[in-house]
Amino acid sequence: MRARLSPLFLIALLASLLLHLTASLGDTLWLWWQHDSLTDTPLIQPSQRTLQGRQLADQASRRLLAGIKPLDALQVQLGLPAETSSPAPVQAEAAAPAAPAAPEPPVSPPQPTAPPPKPAARPPKPSTPAPQAPVSPLQVAATAEPTPAAATAAPVTPAEPTAVIESAAATASARPVLDGPFPRQIDVSYLIKGVALAKLKWRQDGDEYEIDLLGSFLGQTYEWKSEGEVGPHGLRPKRFTEWRNRKPAPRYLVEFDWPAQQVSFGEPAKRQTAPLQEGAQDMFSAPYQFALQGSRLPDFTMQVVSGRKTYTVPFKLIGETTLTLSGIKVPTLVLSGSHEKRRFEFYLAPDWHNLPVRIRSDDGETVQDMIAVEAAFDGNTVLARAAPRERDR
């Protein structure tokens, strides 16, 4: 006799299965659902805008100090001066007006004659100050009367490196517009293929930079790091490394030998070498080089090196478009370039220091599409990802 399953049991089993799938794949499904609306990129329109380069914080400081000659010597006196060095002129001026007030000799009783003529009117006499402690030269200088220009000038507050300025048409949900030098710290979360999150960190310390990207997909962990020098001519990579599953040994390694004008790339034990062109970049330093230098570059043709190959890519500014990122409309300028089957697209946001808010690459077989959903500059958040419950349904 065959056992029969009740319809209620089947419904309960199906509900339990859906609950477990939602618990384990909820974030992935949410990311996929959110990505579905981001892939509908508006049409790229022709643009007359140019990609303006940005200045590093150190460069902006040097520009402000240009033409200012440093002091040859600075002398500071601490403590109270000696008795002989008291500011005698201050005491003399205070005592001088008191001289006419000295007691007069006795005179005979007044006669009924006209009173003697009064002396000419004088300005009001300051009262004799009470004895005070000796005043140091620093105190005298600090209490000196300001010049008219200094008296009327308002105090100047130094600008923050990444001040947030609201545009004239800004609303509570509008994007902030950033001004100032290029940030020393940038933190961006990218959505990759709609199902994975990757976190990118840009760090600048003096004349050195690091770009670190960490993400995971289907149980696999990936990390890329670009490091090198940064200065008036932008980025000059020294090393580009890719790791898998947090293993200490790199999967691919790229080393830029600028003095020898050679670049080596590939698996550490099987690396190849190729001529190194001036201005060459790796996969992740390239969009930041465009963000920093912009139209200051002689041209937009760039050697791009991945962990396995090197490409000479003639990039071109093909237009502008507006992306909707976490509910905020962000105008972007689009750079596109191709080499044989490889194609790159960088979407740079001029209002956000030319931040690459979308990076897309296609090698003819695999498409990598990274779209920003969170962003912060020097700790100031400009883009925040909405929680799943806040999404309009």
Side-chain angles (χ1 to χ4, degrees):
M1 185 174 180
R2 298 176 61 184
R4 297 180 61 184
L5 299 177
S6 115
L8 290 178
F9 176 77
L10 292 175
I11 293 174
L13 181 63
L14 180 60
S16 176
L17 179 61
L18 289 175
L19 182 62
H20 282 81
L21 287 175
T22 302
S24 59
L25 301 176
D27 288 343
T28 301
L29 292 173
W30 159 244
L31 292 174
W32 172 81
W33 185 19
Q34 187 182 45
H35 178 71
D36 184 57
S37 63
L38 294 176
T39 53
D40 299 330
T41 304
L43 181 66
I44 298 175
Q45 301 288 345
S47 176
Q48 299 298 323
R49 299 181 65 178
T50 59
L51 184 62
Q52 299 296 323
R54 309 294 297 186
Q55 282 193 327
L56 298 168
D58 296 338
Q59 291 176 287
S61 300
R62 287 193 292 268
R63 179 175 57 84
L64 291 175
L65 296 176
I68 298 178
K69 182 180 179 182
L71 294 174
D72 295 331
L74 178 63
Q75 186 176 19
V76 178
Q77 178 179 351
L78 302 176
L80 296 176
E83 292 293 335
T84 56
S85 62
S86 313
V90 175
Q91 297 178 354
E93 291 177 3
E104 299 178 357
V107 294
S108 58
Q111 301 296 324
T113 57
K118 296 181 179 180
R122 295 182 180 180
K125 301 176 182 179
S127 58
T128 304
Q132 299 179 354
V135 182
S136 69
L138 290 178
Q139 293 173 317
V140 174
T143 58
E145 184 178 356
T147 61
T152 58
V156 178
T157 304
E160 292 293 332
T162 55
V164 178
I165 302 175
E166 294 294 337
S167 61
T171 62
S173 60
R175 71 186 183 282
V177 178
L178 305 182
D179 192 16
F182 199 78
R184 297 179 184 274
Q185 298 184 10
I186 299 177
D187 297 274
V188 189
S189 293
Y190 288 100
L191 195 61
I192 302 179
K193 294 185 177 181
V195 293
L197 272 179
K199 295 184 179 296
L200 181 143
K201 294 181 179 180
W202 155 274
R203 297 293 185 267
Q204 180 208 345
D205 184 9
D207 59 356
E208 296 182 349
Y209 82 90
E210 280 189 5
I211 301 173
D212 188 86
L213 181 67
L214 177 63
S216 59
F217 179 66
L218 298 178
Q220 300 290 317
T221 302
Y222 303 84
E223 183 177 3
W224 297 268
K225 176 177 283 189
S226 170
E227 50 192 328
E229 298 177 352
V230 59
H233 300 291
L235 305 183
R236 196 176 179 92
K238 291 182 178 178
R239 180 189 294 257
F240 177 68
T241 314
E242 177 181 340
W243 292 273
R244 298 279 180 90
N245 299 321
R246 301 185 182 277
K247 294 181 179 179
R251 178 69 176 270
Y252 297 105
L253 178 62
V254 179
E255 289 185 319
F256 297 80
D257 188 346
W258 293 100
Q261 295 185 336
Q262 281 193 334
V263 58
S264 60
F265 55 92
E267 298 179 24
K270 303 176 183 179
R271 284 195 289 171
Q272 311 172 49
T273 60
L276 180 61
Q277 301 174 15
E278 186 63 31
Q281 302 293 325
D282 58 61
M283 293 285 292
F284 292 105
S285 68
Y288 280 84
Q289 174 72 340
F290 282 120
L292 275 168
Q293 293 299 97
S295 58
R296 291 197 297 261
L297 291 171
D299 59 70
F300 283 179
T301 298
M302 180 181 291
Q303 183 183 20
V304 180
V305 187
S306 71
R308 294 172 289 180
K309 293 183 180 181
T310 176
Y311 313 88
T312 299
V313 186
F315 284 93
K316 183 180 180 181
L317 183 60
I318 61 174
E320 60 182 316
T321 189
T322 299
L323 300 179
T324 301
L325 308 175
S326 297
I328 297 180
K329 294 187 179 298
V330 182
T332 62
L333 294 175
V334 185
L335 281 169
S336 178
S338 59
H339 174 89
E340 297 177 354
K341 294 183 179 181
R342 190 84 181 199
R343 181 179 176 86
F344 302 90
E345 286 183 354
F346 302 143
Y347 293 72
L348 309 181
D351 292 342
W352 290 352
H353 302 292
N354 295 331
L355 175 72
V357 293
R358 186 174 189 177
I359 302 174
R360 191 175 185 275
S361 65
D362 182 357
D363 62 3
E365 297 178 0
T366 306
V367 177
Q368 300 288 349
D369 196 5
M370 300 170 49
I371 300 176
V373 292
E374 296 175 329
F377 300 91
D378 290 330
N380 298 320
T381 299
V382 297
L383 183 66
R385 184 163 57 101
R389 67 177 182 274
E390 297 176 0
R391 180 180 172 92
D392 295 335
R393 298 182 181 274

